[in-house]
Amino acid sequence: MATHRRPKQPSRARVSVLTAAAATAVALSAQAGAAQAAPKPTKESVKAQVDKLNEQAEAAAEKYNGAKEQQQKLQRQVNNMQDEVARQQAEVSSMQGTLGQLASSQYRSGGIDPTVQLMLSSDPSRFLDQASSLDQVSAQQAQTLRQLQEKQHKLDQDKAQTQADLAELDSTTRELKARKAEVQTRLAKAQALLNTLTAQERAALQAAETAAAQRASRAAARTALTPALAGNGSTAAASGTAQAALAAAKTRIGSPYVYGATGPSTFDCSGLTQWSYARAGVSLPRTSEEQANAGTRLTLSQLQPGDLVFFFSDLHHVGIYAGNGMVLHAPKPGASVRYEAMNDGYLPFQFGVRV
């Protein structure tokens, strides 16, 4: 009789080894596929991502700066109104104290005059409505109370409206701050990607940027030595004020770009223009969008040294025209105040403004 044996089952150890080997093969295959599907970014594409994120971050920062300035302005208004309300309330309280003394005197003499009762009423409007029918009331007292009541009412309305505006602005500021943080997070990711490039690639990018800045500086020096090159069809600054603002900005060359900074050692773009014009005796608004309405608008051919120049469709970047097709500005994070050619493609010119 034949003996039937069941096939020998592989051991658990052998199954584990085979499973692990299969998993490794799948993982290696997936990694190989991913590597083929996503080649390493070039240094040019990485730089383009960083530049785009810089642009978005600066736009968000300018809006945040504007909201913060408006918030501070409203807070000052609220504080002033609260002081005024307190002053008026003190006057009302003083008058009520005087009337209280009169009421006490009348009570001791046998009763309180109906006029005094009305003036001490918890409802001032009731007194004002009925005071005119009482012969005993002082016209001056009634007029004073009416003025105080009306002023108090207006102040309460203004205070309530300002508080509502401030609450709305607080909400907007938080939203803008969150947007700024989001952009900065993406910027950090792009910078991390930039750091994956080789040292030679990073050095090449830096060398190209440095060379462009040096060319712009040499052109600026030629402009200073040759007035005929000072502007498009112009041989001098737009005005003494513009010349002084440009001269002030030149003293800040090399100062680092920092979001929200207004000097004297660090700047963002509108912080530099505001600081420079302040040195020339002109108070500019805080943001680039507001500065765009600070004077007469100009085309490219009308620019003269010292004019403000605005870039990008939403006007989130501003600098000072330096002549010979160049701008002196605080460009972006990781860079410093410097000259830059306006025709290099990075700065889409919109218009100029003469303050």
Side-chain angles (χ1 to χ4, degrees):
M1 184 174 178
T3 300
H4 298 281
R5 297 180 179 177
R6 284 189 286 180
K8 185 177 181 181
Q9 299 295 322
S11 66
R12 290 186 177 180
R14 186 182 178 198
V15 170
S16 299
V17 170
L18 291 173
T19 301
T24 301
V26 170
L28 290 175
S29 176
Q31 291 176 0
Q36 293 177 355
K40 179 182 177 181
T42 65
K43 66 178 186 295
E44 290 78 13
S45 67
V46 171
K47 182 180 183 301
Q49 291 182 58
V50 173
D51 287 344
K52 185 63 177 178
L53 286 167
N54 273 325
E55 177 189 336
Q56 294 172 349
E58 185 176 42
E62 284 295 290
K63 291 181 180 179
Y64 174 76
N65 289 339
K68 184 176 181 181
E69 183 180 42
Q70 181 66 9
Q71 181 190 47
Q72 293 171 343
K73 179 180 178 181
L74 280 175
Q75 185 63 66
R76 289 192 296 270
Q77 291 178 356
V78 170
N79 292 341
N80 291 337
M81 291 176 66
Q82 288 174 334
D83 291 343
E84 180 67 10
V85 168
R87 186 183 68 82
Q88 293 292 345
Q89 186 60 58
E91 292 182 9
V92 172
S93 298
S94 176
M95 179 172 288
Q96 287 176 335
T98 301
L99 293 174
Q101 294 175 2
L102 175 60
S104 297
S105 175
Q106 290 184 350
Y107 179 79
R108 287 193 297 270
S109 64
I112 300 179
D113 188 281
T115 301
V116 177
Q117 292 181 26
L118 286 173
M119 294 181 77
L120 293 175
S121 169
S122 60
D123 183 4
S125 62
R126 179 171 174 238
F127 163 72
L128 293 172
D129 290 339
Q130 301 183 37
S132 60
S133 64
L134 297 172
D135 295 336
Q136 297 92 334
V137 69
S138 164
Q140 183 178 0
Q141 288 176 322
Q143 179 64 20
T144 300
L145 278 177
R146 180 176 283 107
Q147 289 175 348
L148 286 171
Q149 183 193 36
E150 291 174 352
K151 191 166 187 178
Q152 180 82 53
H153 181 63
K154 182 180 184 303
L155 286 170
D156 288 344
Q157 283 185 323
D158 290 346
K159 177 182 174 182
Q161 181 61 51
T162 304
Q163 291 285 17
D165 291 343
L166 187 57
E168 180 180 357
L169 193 59
D170 283 340
S171 176
T172 302
T173 301
R174 287 194 297 270
E175 178 184 352
L176 290 172
K177 189 174 182 180
R179 285 174 53 191
K180 178 182 175 182
E182 178 185 356
V183 173
Q184 287 179 317
T185 298
R186 284 186 284 168
L187 179 59
K189 290 180 180 179
Q191 187 63 51
L193 182 59
L194 181 61
N195 292 338
T196 65
L197 298 177
T198 66
Q200 184 177 3
E201 289 172 325
R202 293 196 301 272
L205 288 177
Q206 184 60 48
E209 189 165 317
T210 300
Q214 290 174 343
R215 287 195 298 272
S217 294
R218 288 193 294 269
R222 290 196 299 272
T223 298
L225 293 173
T226 311
L229 295 177
N232 297 321
S234 171
T235 59
S239 65
T241 297
Q243 183 176 10
L246 178 58
K250 289 178 180 179
T251 68
R252 301 296 95 186
I253 291 175
S255 299
Y257 180 104
V258 173
Y259 284 124
T262 57
S265 57
T266 58
F267 300 89
D268 63 13
C269 68
S270 56
L272 175 65
T273 52
Q274 185 186 52
W275 182 90
S276 299
Y277 265 87
R279 305 285 81 73
V282 175
S283 177
L284 288 181
R286 174 63 183 93
T287 68
S288 57
E289 186 176 359
E290 293 173 316
Q291 291 177 11
N293 297 314
T296 304
R297 293 197 176 186
L298 310 166
T299 64
L300 182 63
S301 63
Q302 294 173 319
L303 291 177
Q304 294 177 249
D307 289 331
L308 297 175
V309 280
F310 295 85
F311 305 92
F312 301 99
S313 59
D314 61 355
L315 310 179
H316 71 256
H317 190 73
V318 61
I320 299 179
Y321 187 64
N324 203 24
M326 292 178 302
V327 59
L328 180 55
H329 66 152
K332 60 184 179 180
S336 300
V337 175
R338 68 190 185 196
Y339 292 103
E340 198 149 8
M342 291 168 52
N343 61 356
D344 66 354
Y346 165 68
L347 296 170
F349 173 78
Q350 302 300 309
F351 54 81
V353 165
R354 185 161 298 155
V355 178

